[in-house]
């Protein structure tokens, strides 16, 4: 029989009201969580070292050590020893989102954060169910696979497609296409329709290129360009297979 494991979550936020709101949301949800709190980045780094949390919800603008400072400090750790990180910030821009992702954050949310989206992100990054043990995904694996399949790096949708595929693969359960898209929507400050269209353009380019890697992921030569949902499920399955094989 499988069960649920308790997720260790660390809130790093200097605003007591915002910290309390996040804590109450998490503890009031159906997720089995243990919540710890830090008032700034310096305390956050100390607690990360001592508690080894599964997930850090990180504000950016804080005294002593900022959220960016925390991300920079965590870069000194091997990837497998870093917690998953959700960044939340009053300030939002595509450039800032790219910066925090380059520094190892998994998701970027603009305040005020919607509880449902936050919980979905946590479930995608840190599945609670232990019924099907699996290896964690390696960061950047989806982008490397898309490169193998012939997706041009210059296409805007390539990064969004990689994020959506990793979200779907990490969920460990069937999720809606919209759930897979929502991190890209936040990162791009765009709409679901725009993300869907840009991802569609990348899939068409991959299909037209017809690389061996594409055929391998699809399980053969498709007679037509697959839908976004079909392609994402195949891509997520391959990511999951590679992660489990590497483990």
């Amino acid at each position: 029989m499988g069960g649920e494991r308790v997720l260790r979550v660390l809130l790093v936020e200097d605003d007591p009201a915002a910290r309390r709101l996040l804590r109450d949301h998490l503890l009031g949800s159906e997720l089995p969580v243990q919540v710890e709190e830090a008032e700034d980045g310096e305390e956050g780094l100390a607690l990360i070292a001592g508690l080894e949390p599964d997930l850090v919800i990180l504000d950016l603008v804080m005294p002593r050590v900022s959220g960016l400072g925390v991300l920079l400090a965590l870069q000194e750790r091997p990837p497998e020893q870093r917690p998953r990180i959700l960044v939340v910030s009053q300030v939002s821009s595509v450039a800032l989102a790219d910066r925090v992702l380059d520094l190892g954050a998994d998701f970027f949310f603009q305040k005020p954060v919607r509880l449902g989206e936050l919980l979905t992100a946590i479930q995608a990054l840190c599945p609670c169910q232990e019924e099907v043990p699996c290896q964690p995904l390696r960061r950047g694996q989806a982008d490397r696979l898309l490169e193998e399949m012939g997706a041009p790096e210059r296409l805007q949708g390539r990064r969004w497609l990689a994020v959506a595929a990793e979200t779907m693969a990490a969920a460990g359960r069937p999720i809606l296409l919209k759930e897979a898209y929502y991190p890209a929507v936040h990162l791009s400050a765009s709409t679901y329709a725009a993300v869907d269209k840009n991802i569609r353009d990348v899939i068409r380019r991959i299909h037209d290129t017809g690389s061996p890697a594409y055929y391998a992921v699809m399980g053969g030569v498709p007679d037509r360009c697959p839908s976004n949902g079909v392609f994402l499920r195949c891509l997520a399955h391959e990511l999951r297979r590679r992660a489990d094989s590497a483990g």
Side-chain angles (χ1 to χ4, degrees):
M1 291 290 292
E4 289 186 327
R5 65 186 183 92
V6 175
L7 299 178
R8 300 184 303 276
V9 179
L10 175 62
L11 305 178
V12 186
E13 165 68 69
D14 66 317
D15 183 344
R19 202 167 60 242
R20 182 170 58 252
L21 181 63
L22 284 171
R23 181 195 64 213
D24 291 347
H25 277 332
L26 290 170
L27 294 177
S29 74
E30 296 182 355
L31 292 177
V33 295
Q34 172 187 330
V35 180
E36 302 292 342
E37 302 176 33
E39 296 181 355
D40 55 50
E42 184 175 307
E43 184 182 7
L45 285 170
L47 288 176
I48 288 171
L51 299 175
E52 296 292 339
D54 300 299
L55 175 76
V56 175
I57 299 178
L58 180 67
D59 188 24
L60 287 184
V61 181
M62 295 182 292
R64 297 204 291 179
V65 177
S66 69
L68 289 176
V70 171
L71 292 172
L72 283 167
L74 291 176
Q75 286 290 298
E76 299 178 6
R77 288 183 164 206
E80 65 274 9
Q81 294 181 14
R82 301 173 199 161
R84 308 315 293 259
I85 300 174
L86 296 177
V87 167
V88 295
S89 177
Q90 292 281 9
V91 182
S92 178
S93 69
V94 174
L96 180 60
D98 284 341
R99 174 65 171 155
V100 299
L101 288 174
D102 288 341
L103 289 175
D106 294 286
F107 290 136
F108 179 92
F109 290 98
Q110 184 177 12
K111 294 179 180 178
V113 181
R114 294 180 180 177
L115 173 61
E117 294 180 347
L118 182 71
L119 295 180
T120 300
I122 293 173
Q123 288 174 317
L125 291 174
C126 306
C128 300
Q129 295 294 329
E130 295 183 330
E131 295 177 358
V132 184
C134 58
Q135 297 297 319
L137 296 178
R138 296 177 183 271
R139 287 188 175 92
Q141 183 67 47
D143 194 63
R144 288 190 290 273
L145 180 53
L146 288 171
E147 184 177 6
E148 292 175 22
M149 298 168 77
E153 186 175 6
R154 69 179 182 277
L155 289 183
Q156 187 176 37
R158 174 169 144 173
R159 183 167 194 174
W160 299 352
L161 179 54
V163 170
E166 289 181 347
T167 300
M168 188 172 282
R173 59 181 176 82
I175 64 173
L176 299 174
L177 196 59
K178 186 175 182 180
E179 290 182 85
Y181 281 175
Y182 86 84
V185 172
H186 278 280
L187 293 177
S188 62
S190 186
T191 64
Y192 283 101
V195 167
D196 186 74
K197 179 184 181 301
N198 278 275
I199 285 178
R200 188 70 192 150
D201 290 343
V202 178
I203 294 173
R204 285 199 183 100
R205 183 65 65 89
I206 290 172
H207 179 76
D208 291 343
T209 300
S211 69
Y214 167 58
Y215 296 150
V217 168
M218 299 305 298
V221 181
D223 57 358
R224 64 174 66 89
C225 185
S227 68
N228 290 16
V230 168
F231 183 86
L232 267 170
R233 284 192 291 273
C234 291
L235 190 60
H237 176 77
E238 176 63 14
L239 290 173
R240 185 75 274 154
R241 186 194 67 78
R242 292 188 179 195
D244 292 342
S245 297

